[in-house]
Amino acid sequence: MNISNKIAYSNINPYNTHITKDIKNPPIDKNHNDKLENLTKPNKVENNSSLSDKVFEDIQAMAQQDAKNNDFMSKKYQNYIDRQTNGVHKSEKAQLMAMFRPMLMQAKFSHTNNFSFNNIPGFPSFTATMRTGFGQSPYLSIFDGHGDKTLTYNSFDGWKSFPSKEDIAFQKEAHKVYAETYQKARKEINSTKYNNILNKPVHEYKNPNARLNNRT
């Protein structure tokens, strides 16, 4: 075997540790997983809303996840907002319902009349009105300190709760943060998918010429 053949043989020798090392350990794009992971992570955006930082971050995280699932304002998000708003005055409303419940039971047997309530014990700023009629369902309305209706009752619908002005303002701010985060996340996801299609090897297409034809 001449010298040139020995050199050629050594270059393809499977026991050449330098060559086998390169084959077993190809270069890896370390940023690949980070790019994918960032699609589901909330972008660090300064909280300029009236929401607390905790709520702001929770909404961003849910919007990012919903964008990944292509599920705008998911049930999980809606339940979260309901818990936030209903929990503000939930205990107060429970006390009011317990206070008026015995009165409503007796009102079924009262003559037609209209009642007004001011300085309700424990709720001095709240007011209420009740309409009764013998054999008819009483109708009760309770108003908060701003004069907004907060609770109603009749025997057909039972108790019905209404959001306060604070609740409405909270929902409006929360939906704004959610929508902005969701739209931004969807844009990033769609952009990534589009780039992946453009960078897809031609041989992976069913019609190898399809990509080239689209460019003409």
Side-chain angles (χ1 to χ4, degrees), residues 148-166:
D148 298 318
K149 187 181 294 185
T150 185
L151 282 171
T152 61
Y153 174 86
N154 65 70
S155 59
F156 299 105
D157 301 322
W159 289 99
K160 187 175 181 180
S161 177
F162 296 85
S164 64
K165 287 183 177 180
E166 291 82 359

Side-chain angles (χ1 to χ4, degrees), residues 8-17 19-20:
Y9 178 77
S10 65
N11 287 338
I12 60 173
N13 186 350
Y15 297 99
N16 189 317
T17 57
I19 295 176
T20 55

